[in-house]
Amino acid sequence: MSVLDKFRLDGRVALVTGGNRGLGRQMAQALAEAGAAVALTSRDQERADQAAQEIAQSVAGATAAGYACEVSSYEQSAQVVERTIADLGGLHVVVNNAGINIRGPIDELAPEAFQQVIDTNVTGVWNMCRAAAGHLKAQRYGRVINVGSTLSIIALPERTPYASSKGAVLQMTRVLALEWAQYGITVNAMLPGPFSTEMNLALEQDPEKYREFIARIPLGRWGDLDEIGGLAVFLASDASSFVTGAGMTVDGGWTAH
Ligand code: NDP
């Protein structure tokens, strides 16, 4: 098998939470282009359907399905896992991408804001891993990709909810990598720097904050959306068969400082 063949995902089924827009949408598209059947979620069924339809139409021979899922609900997470397996014939790759960011000095944030970020970014990842565990362990194969952030490993002011949550995502990734290695399941985190998505509109529209970010990034720019798919395919495929428990940055060199 050539090295490029190891990146192929033919016959695999990948589930991407929050796959209807932003980084999740890009990763869902990339996984489909590599040959996987893709299930993607949004909290809204129509938005999920729309993205699934776009992927199915743009990638020759692709299968894509959209599901509504609030990831902070264990019940809904388990339902999506069940429906993916029933509708697409299996589950091999889980990309825990759904996430939110609420920024502000700690004394200006409502306690509910902190809880909402933790519920989505931490409990959501735990729920989906918990829901997929039985199936992945039984088939003795799986690729789990949790989306952390540069803020999993470094800090910025006014990010107590988000940085706390993303630090937890990296630690959860490491624990599960240890727990599941014996079942042939790898668990890794990708740690992106800034990409232009809805989550970052406020930063992008503030020239001073935007310049501050660029100044921290050795490559001197934000990430382009199409620069996330390569790592997703690598971590989802047999090309990464000896990689587990890793936190891989995609950040233009930011965290090399
Ligand atoms: P977007 O805001 O563009 O997309 C977020 C996605 O998450 C949407 O699909 C949204 O679905 C879904 N989502 C949000 N909350 C929930 C919830 N409670 N239950 C289920 N789905 C939910 O963000 P990005 O694409 O930028 O971010 C994707 C991931 O990448 C996040 O984990 C983020 O923290 C991480 N990241 C992003 C960076 C960036 O620069 N953009 C940098 C580092 C990390 P919908 O609203 O349709 O329900």
PDB file of all heavy atoms in Angstrom, residues 22 30 42 56 64 73-74 91 106 116 121 127-128 133 144 148-149 151 166 171 194 206-207 226 228 243 250:
ATOM      1  N   GLY A  22     -18.309  26.416   9.323  1.00  0.00           N
ATOM      2  CA  GLY A  22     -16.998  26.676   9.912  1.00  0.00           C
ATOM      3  C   GLY A  22     -16.021  25.521   9.732  1.00  0.00           C
ATOM      4  O   GLY A  22     -16.005  24.837   8.700  1.00  0.00           O
ATOM      5  N   ALA A  30     -13.718  17.406   3.726  1.00  0.00           N
ATOM      6  CA  ALA A  30     -12.427  16.750   3.481  1.00  0.00           C
ATOM      7  C   ALA A  30     -12.538  15.236   3.691  1.00  0.00           C
ATOM      8  O   ALA A  30     -11.997  14.442   2.915  1.00  0.00           O
ATOM      9  CB  ALA A  30     -11.358  17.338   4.397  1.00  0.00           C
ATOM     10  N   SER A  42     -25.958  19.601  13.464  1.00  0.00           N
ATOM     11  CA  SER A  42     -26.172  20.996  13.857  1.00  0.00           C
ATOM     12  C   SER A  42     -27.263  20.905  14.924  1.00  0.00           C
ATOM     13  O   SER A  42     -27.897  19.859  15.059  1.00  0.00           O
ATOM     14  CB  SER A  42     -26.683  21.793  12.653  1.00  0.00           C
ATOM     15  OG  SER A  42     -27.353  22.967  13.063  1.00  0.00           O
ATOM     16  N   ALA A  56     -22.881  16.026  -0.428  1.00  0.00           N
ATOM     17  CA  ALA A  56     -23.238  14.916  -1.320  1.00  0.00           C
ATOM     18  C   ALA A  56     -23.198  15.362  -2.778  1.00  0.00           C
ATOM     19  O   ALA A  56     -22.810  14.594  -3.664  1.00  0.00           O
ATOM     20  CB  ALA A  56     -24.608  14.369  -0.949  1.00  0.00           C
ATOM     21  N   ALA A  64     -23.797  11.524   2.487  1.00  0.00           N
ATOM     22  CA  ALA A  64     -23.757  12.430   3.644  1.00  0.00           C
ATOM     23  C   ALA A  64     -25.152  12.531   4.234  1.00  0.00           C
ATOM     24  O   ALA A  64     -26.142  12.587   3.502  1.00  0.00           O
ATOM     25  CB  ALA A  64     -23.242  13.808   3.232  1.00  0.00           C
ATOM     26  N   SER A  73     -26.626  17.321  25.505  1.00  0.00           N
ATOM     27  CA  SER A  73     -27.594  16.288  25.905  1.00  0.00           C
ATOM     28  C   SER A  73     -27.029  14.906  25.594  1.00  0.00           C
ATOM     29  O   SER A  73     -26.761  14.588  24.420  1.00  0.00           O
ATOM     30  CB  SER A  73     -28.919  16.497  25.148  1.00  0.00           C
ATOM     31  OG  SER A  73     -29.636  15.280  25.036  1.00  0.00           O
ATOM     32  N   TYR A  74     -26.859  14.086  26.629  1.00  0.00           N
ATOM     33  CA  TYR A  74     -26.354  12.727  26.376  1.00  0.00           C
ATOM     34  C   TYR A  74     -27.335  11.944  25.510  1.00  0.00           C
ATOM     35  O   TYR A  74     -26.934  11.227  24.584  1.00  0.00           O
ATOM     36  CB  TYR A  74     -26.082  11.961  27.682  1.00  0.00           C
ATOM     37  CG  TYR A  74     -25.574  10.578  27.354  1.00  0.00           C
ATOM     38  CD1 TYR A  74     -24.280  10.411  26.873  1.00  0.00           C
ATOM     39  CD2 TYR A  74     -26.406   9.464  27.429  1.00  0.00           C
ATOM     40  CE1 TYR A  74     -23.817   9.158  26.485  1.00  0.00           C
ATOM     41  CE2 TYR A  74     -25.942   8.213  27.040  1.00  0.00           C
ATOM     42  CZ  TYR A  74     -24.655   8.070  26.575  1.00  0.00           C
ATOM     43  OH  TYR A  74     -24.198   6.837  26.175  1.00  0.00           O
ATOM     44  N   LEU A  91     -19.727   3.108  12.115  1.00  0.00           N
ATOM     45  CA  LEU A  91     -19.120   4.331  12.667  1.00  0.00           C
ATOM     46  C   LEU A  91     -17.662   4.017  12.977  1.00  0.00           C
ATOM     47  O   LEU A  91     -17.361   3.100  13.746  1.00  0.00           O
ATOM     48  CB  LEU A  91     -19.849   4.776  13.948  1.00  0.00           C
ATOM     49  CG  LEU A  91     -19.283   6.042  14.599  1.00  0.00           C
ATOM     50  CD1 LEU A  91     -19.417   7.250  13.664  1.00  0.00           C
ATOM     51  CD2 LEU A  91     -19.998   6.344  15.922  1.00  0.00           C
ATOM     52  N   ILE A 106     -13.742  37.981  33.897  1.00  0.00           N
ATOM     53  CA  ILE A 106     -14.526  37.037  34.716  1.00  0.00           C
ATOM     54  C   ILE A 106     -15.656  37.740  35.481  1.00  0.00           C
ATOM     55  O   ILE A 106     -16.764  37.204  35.590  1.00  0.00           O
ATOM     56  CB  ILE A 106     -13.606  36.243  35.677  1.00  0.00           C
ATOM     57  CG1 ILE A 106     -14.362  35.085  36.329  1.00  0.00           C
ATOM     58  CG2 ILE A 106     -12.944  37.146  36.723  1.00  0.00           C
ATOM     59  CD1 ILE A 106     -13.471  34.052  37.000  1.00  0.00           C
ATOM     60  N   GLN A 116     -22.457  27.344  30.206  1.00  0.00           N
ATOM     61  CA  GLN A 116     -22.853  27.020  28.819  1.00  0.00           C
ATOM     62  C   GLN A 116     -21.638  26.578  27.979  1.00  0.00           C
ATOM     63  O   GLN A 116     -21.722  25.645  27.190  1.00  0.00           O
ATOM     64  CB  GLN A 116     -23.485  28.267  28.186  1.00  0.00           C
ATOM     65  CG  GLN A 116     -24.244  27.984  26.916  1.00  0.00           C
ATOM     66  CD  GLN A 116     -24.709  29.266  26.237  1.00  0.00           C
ATOM     67  OE1 GLN A 116     -24.781  30.337  26.870  1.00  0.00           O
ATOM     68  NE2 GLN A 116     -25.022  29.183  24.957  1.00  0.00           N
ATOM     69  N   ASN A 121     -18.579  22.527  25.257  1.00  0.00           N
ATOM     70  CA  ASN A 121     -17.217  22.184  24.815  1.00  0.00           C
ATOM     71  C   ASN A 121     -16.625  20.989  25.552  1.00  0.00           C
ATOM     72  O   ASN A 121     -15.765  20.304  24.999  1.00  0.00           O
ATOM     73  CB  ASN A 121     -16.271  23.380  25.008  1.00  0.00           C
ATOM     74  CG  ASN A 121     -16.639  24.581  24.151  1.00  0.00           C
ATOM     75  OD1 ASN A 121     -17.661  24.575  23.497  1.00  0.00           O
ATOM     76  ND2 ASN A 121     -15.814  25.601  24.166  1.00  0.00           N
ATOM     77  N   ASN A 127     -19.937  13.380  26.163  1.00  0.00           N
ATOM     78  CA  ASN A 127     -21.173  12.671  25.791  1.00  0.00           C
ATOM     79  C   ASN A 127     -20.979  11.851  24.524  1.00  0.00           C
ATOM     80  O   ASN A 127     -21.383  10.679  24.445  1.00  0.00           O
ATOM     81  CB  ASN A 127     -22.307  13.673  25.542  1.00  0.00           C
ATOM     82  CG  ASN A 127     -22.921  14.199  26.829  1.00  0.00           C
ATOM     83  OD1 ASN A 127     -22.739  13.606  27.900  1.00  0.00           O
ATOM     84  ND2 ASN A 127     -23.632  15.323  26.737  1.00  0.00           N
ATOM     85  N   MET A 128     -20.383  12.469  23.517  1.00  0.00           N
ATOM     86  CA  MET A 128     -20.259  11.783  22.228  1.00  0.00           C
ATOM     87  C   MET A 128     -19.270  10.615  22.348  1.00  0.00           C
ATOM     88  O   MET A 128     -19.494   9.546  21.769  1.00  0.00           O
ATOM     89  CB  MET A 128     -19.825  12.795  21.166  1.00  0.00           C
ATOM     90  CG  MET A 128     -20.181  12.443  19.763  1.00  0.00           C
ATOM     91  SD  MET A 128     -21.898  11.908  19.451  1.00  0.00           S
ATOM     92  CE  MET A 128     -22.734  13.459  19.165  1.00  0.00           C
ATOM     93  N   ALA A 133     -18.588   4.769  22.556  1.00  0.00           N
ATOM     94  CA  ALA A 133     -17.620   3.835  23.145  1.00  0.00           C
ATOM     95  C   ALA A 133     -17.954   2.378  22.849  1.00  0.00           C
ATOM     96  O   ALA A 133     -17.088   1.613  22.398  1.00  0.00           O
ATOM     97  CB  ALA A 133     -17.538   4.054  24.655  1.00  0.00           C
ATOM     98  N   VAL A 144     -10.852   8.866  17.025  1.00  0.00           N
ATOM     99  CA  VAL A 144     -11.586   9.960  17.662  1.00  0.00           C
ATOM    100  C   VAL A 144     -10.727  11.214  17.577  1.00  0.00           C
ATOM    101  O   VAL A 144      -9.532  11.181  17.914  1.00  0.00           O
ATOM    102  CB  VAL A 144     -11.928   9.627  19.128  1.00  0.00           C
ATOM    103  CG1 VAL A 144     -12.616  10.812  19.808  1.00  0.00           C
ATOM    104  CG2 VAL A 144     -12.812   8.381  19.189  1.00  0.00           C
ATOM    105  N   GLY A 148      -9.701  20.844  20.141  1.00  0.00           N
ATOM    106  CA  GLY A 148      -9.320  21.759  21.216  1.00  0.00           C
ATOM    107  C   GLY A 148      -9.033  23.119  20.608  1.00  0.00           C
ATOM    108  O   GLY A 148      -9.786  23.611  19.759  1.00  0.00           O
ATOM    109  N   SER A 149      -7.910  23.695  20.999  1.00  0.00           N
ATOM    110  CA  SER A 149      -7.555  25.048  20.534  1.00  0.00           C
ATOM    111  C   SER A 149      -6.131  25.321  20.993  1.00  0.00           C
ATOM    112  O   SER A 149      -5.621  24.628  21.888  1.00  0.00           O
ATOM    113  CB  SER A 149      -8.519  26.059  21.175  1.00  0.00           C
ATOM    114  OG  SER A 149      -7.985  27.368  21.159  1.00  0.00           O
ATOM    115  N   LEU A 151      -5.700  27.477  22.827  1.00  0.00           N
ATOM    116  CA  LEU A 151      -5.999  27.794  24.238  1.00  0.00           C
ATOM    117  C   LEU A 151      -6.158  26.533  25.090  1.00  0.00           C
ATOM    118  O   LEU A 151      -6.479  26.627  26.277  1.00  0.00           O
ATOM    119  CB  LEU A 151      -7.221  28.705  24.340  1.00  0.00           C
ATOM    120  CG  LEU A 151      -6.981  30.111  23.779  1.00  0.00           C
ATOM    121  CD1 LEU A 151      -8.224  30.968  23.912  1.00  0.00           C
ATOM    122  CD2 LEU A 151      -5.813  30.809  24.453  1.00  0.00           C
ATOM    123  N   LYS A 166     -11.146  24.126  26.823  1.00  0.00           N
ATOM    124  CA  LYS A 166     -10.254  23.518  25.828  1.00  0.00           C
ATOM    125  C   LYS A 166      -9.075  22.807  26.501  1.00  0.00           C
ATOM    126  O   LYS A 166      -8.550  21.831  25.967  1.00  0.00           O
ATOM    127  CB  LYS A 166      -9.790  24.567  24.821  1.00  0.00           C
ATOM    128  CG  LYS A 166     -10.924  25.105  23.948  1.00  0.00           C
ATOM    129  CD  LYS A 166     -11.588  23.999  23.147  1.00  0.00           C
ATOM    130  CE  LYS A 166     -12.616  24.535  22.154  1.00  0.00           C
ATOM    131  NZ  LYS A 166     -13.225  23.467  21.345  1.00  0.00           N
ATOM    132  N   GLN A 171      -6.984  17.156  28.005  1.00  0.00           N
ATOM    133  CA  GLN A 171      -6.810  16.147  29.049  1.00  0.00           C
ATOM    134  C   GLN A 171      -7.743  14.945  28.840  1.00  0.00           C
ATOM    135  O   GLN A 171      -7.335  13.798  29.031  1.00  0.00           O
ATOM    136  CB  GLN A 171      -7.050  16.777  30.442  1.00  0.00           C
ATOM    137  CG  GLN A 171      -5.859  17.575  30.948  1.00  0.00           C
ATOM    138  CD  GLN A 171      -4.611  16.716  31.087  1.00  0.00           C
ATOM    139  OE1 GLN A 171      -3.941  16.381  30.117  1.00  0.00           O
ATOM    140  NE2 GLN A 171      -4.290  16.319  32.311  1.00  0.00           N
ATOM    141  N   PRO A 194      -6.274  30.851  15.130  1.00  0.00           N
ATOM    142  CA  PRO A 194      -7.441  31.556  14.596  1.00  0.00           C
ATOM    143  C   PRO A 194      -7.733  31.299  13.117  1.00  0.00           C
ATOM    144  O   PRO A 194      -6.850  31.391  12.274  1.00  0.00           O
ATOM    145  CB  PRO A 194      -7.107  33.043  14.823  1.00  0.00           C
ATOM    146  CG  PRO A 194      -5.674  33.106  15.102  1.00  0.00           C
ATOM    147  CD  PRO A 194      -5.202  31.762  15.543  1.00  0.00           C
ATOM    148  N   ASP A 206     -12.609  43.830  14.779  1.00  0.00           N
ATOM    149  CA  ASP A 206     -11.947  44.796  15.662  1.00  0.00           C
ATOM    150  C   ASP A 206     -10.484  44.900  15.199  1.00  0.00           C
ATOM    151  O   ASP A 206      -9.674  44.011  15.480  1.00  0.00           O
ATOM    152  CB  ASP A 206     -12.024  44.272  17.107  1.00  0.00           C
ATOM    153  CG  ASP A 206     -11.345  45.201  18.107  1.00  0.00           C
ATOM    154  OD1 ASP A 206     -10.389  45.893  17.715  1.00  0.00           O
ATOM    155  OD2 ASP A 206     -11.765  45.192  19.270  1.00  0.00           O
ATOM    156  N   PRO A 207     -10.130  45.972  14.459  1.00  0.00           N
ATOM    157  CA  PRO A 207      -8.804  46.044  13.829  1.00  0.00           C
ATOM    158  C   PRO A 207      -7.661  45.877  14.833  1.00  0.00           C
ATOM    159  O   PRO A 207      -6.677  45.204  14.530  1.00  0.00           O
ATOM    160  CB  PRO A 207      -8.761  47.452  13.227  1.00  0.00           C
ATOM    161  CG  PRO A 207     -10.166  47.919  13.197  1.00  0.00           C
ATOM    162  CD  PRO A 207     -10.932  47.152  14.222  1.00  0.00           C
ATOM    163  N   ASP A 226      -9.480  26.101   4.314  1.00  0.00           N
ATOM    164  CA  ASP A 226      -9.090  24.830   3.683  1.00  0.00           C
ATOM    165  C   ASP A 226      -7.751  24.298   4.211  1.00  0.00           C
ATOM    166  O   ASP A 226      -7.230  23.324   3.681  1.00  0.00           O
ATOM    167  CB  ASP A 226      -9.102  24.937   2.152  1.00  0.00           C
ATOM    168  CG  ASP A 226      -8.010  25.850   1.625  1.00  0.00           C
ATOM    169  OD1 ASP A 226      -7.229  26.388   2.430  1.00  0.00           O
ATOM    170  OD2 ASP A 226      -7.942  26.021   0.393  1.00  0.00           O
ATOM    171  N   ILE A 228      -7.537  23.153   7.335  1.00  0.00           N
ATOM    172  CA  ILE A 228      -7.849  22.292   8.485  1.00  0.00           C
ATOM    173  C   ILE A 228      -8.110  20.841   8.043  1.00  0.00           C
ATOM    174  O   ILE A 228      -7.922  19.900   8.815  1.00  0.00           O
ATOM    175  CB  ILE A 228      -9.074  22.845   9.281  1.00  0.00           C
ATOM    176  CG1 ILE A 228      -9.085  22.311  10.703  1.00  0.00           C
ATOM    177  CG2 ILE A 228     -10.387  22.584   8.583  1.00  0.00           C
ATOM    178  CD1 ILE A 228      -8.115  22.929  11.628  1.00  0.00           C
ATOM    179  N   VAL A 243      -0.313   7.241  16.061  1.00  0.00           N
ATOM    180  CA  VAL A 243      -0.481   8.539  16.727  1.00  0.00           C
ATOM    181  C   VAL A 243      -1.682   8.449  17.654  1.00  0.00           C
ATOM    182  O   VAL A 243      -2.804   8.243  17.197  1.00  0.00           O
ATOM    183  CB  VAL A 243      -0.718   9.668  15.690  1.00  0.00           C
ATOM    184  CG1 VAL A 243      -0.864  11.017  16.394  1.00  0.00           C
ATOM    185  CG2 VAL A 243       0.395   9.715  14.652  1.00  0.00           C
ATOM    186  N   VAL A 250      -2.451  23.560  14.762  1.00  0.00           N
ATOM    187  CA  VAL A 250      -2.580  24.058  13.374  1.00  0.00           C
ATOM    188  C   VAL A 250      -2.727  25.554  13.549  1.00  0.00           C
ATOM    189  O   VAL A 250      -3.831  26.104  13.494  1.00  0.00           O
ATOM    190  CB  VAL A 250      -3.878  23.567  12.693  1.00  0.00           C
ATOM    191  CG1 VAL A 250      -3.760  23.674  11.181  1.00  0.00           C
ATOM    192  CG2 VAL A 250      -4.260  22.173  13.101  1.00  0.00           C
TER     193      VAL A 250
END
